[in-house]
Amino acid sequence: MDFPTLGYTDTDGQHSVRLESVSTSIGRSPGQDIVLLDPFVSRQHAVIVRQDAETYTVVDQNSSQGTYHNGVRVQRANLKSGDMLQMGSLEGPRLFFLFEKAQKQEPAAPRSTARTCSSGVNAVAERN
């Protein structure tokens, strides 16, 4: 199973967190899965919930300053790869949801090449 990541930068540098759990909590409290030390971030600010193998939702936990999904304040929003989340304000920490699903390898279709025989007729040979 492929898992998305949540990437962000803070005073400690760049971080990339794999969202392997059914839910991932975000907030200022040390007990959260992702701790953001911004004063506008609530102690228990938001949670990202895995609905199924490909659907993830961010849910605001009644935070004081709100959760923003691509610049719009939301209570709940489904996430897609490339989405930006901000906690507390539009100036707050930026978290990027990235979900690069592995491409399934399908067998290659046979390729054909045409050759001209000495009789002038095209002969087709299949290759795998």
Side-chain angles (χ1 to χ4, degrees), residues 38 40-42 45 63-68 73 86-93:
D38 186 280
F40 290 103
V41 174
S42 294
H45 198 100
S63 66
S64 300
Q65 303 296 322
T67 298
Y68 296 83
R73 188 171 177 164
Q86 290 170 280
M87 308 294 156
S89 76
L90 291 174
E91 304 302 320

Side-chain angles (χ1 to χ4, degrees), residues 24-127:
T24 302
S25 59
I26 304 168
R28 202 175 68 242
S29 174
Q32 301 300 290
D33 297 317
I34 297 174
V35 177
L36 301 174
L37 298 177
D38 186 280
F40 290 103
V41 174
S42 294
R43 287 185 293 275
Q44 297 174 349
H45 198 100
V47 65
I48 295 176
V49 179
R50 180 176 65 217
Q51 306 294 327
D52 59 43
E54 296 185 5
T55 307
Y56 289 77
T57 303
V58 63
V59 181
D60 184 86
Q61 299 293 289
N62 298 315
S63 66
S64 300
Q65 303 296 322
T67 298
Y68 296 83
H69 174 249
N70 295 326
V72 177
R73 188 171 177 164
V74 297
Q75 181 61 37
R76 167 185 297 266
N78 286 338
L79 299 172
K80 63 182 188 308
S81 190
D83 282 353
M84 180 179 63
L85 297 173
Q86 290 170 280
M87 308 294 156
S89 76
L90 291 174
E91 304 302 320
R94 294 178 179 183
L95 299 96
F96 294 93
F97 181 81
L98 299 172
F99 197 4
E100 302 297 326
K101 298 174 208 137
Q103 297 290 328
K104 291 183 179 177
Q105 295 286 336
E106 294 186 25
R111 294 181 295 172
S112 63
T113 57
R115 296 185 185 178
T116 304
C117 296
S118 58
S119 64
V121 177
N122 285 338
V124 177
E126 286 193 358
R127 295 187 304 182

Side-chain angles (χ1 to χ4, degrees), residues 6-17:
L6 201 60
Y8 64 100
T9 302
D10 63 12
T11 56
D12 292 329
Q14 292 184 343
H15 306 276
S16 181
V17 178

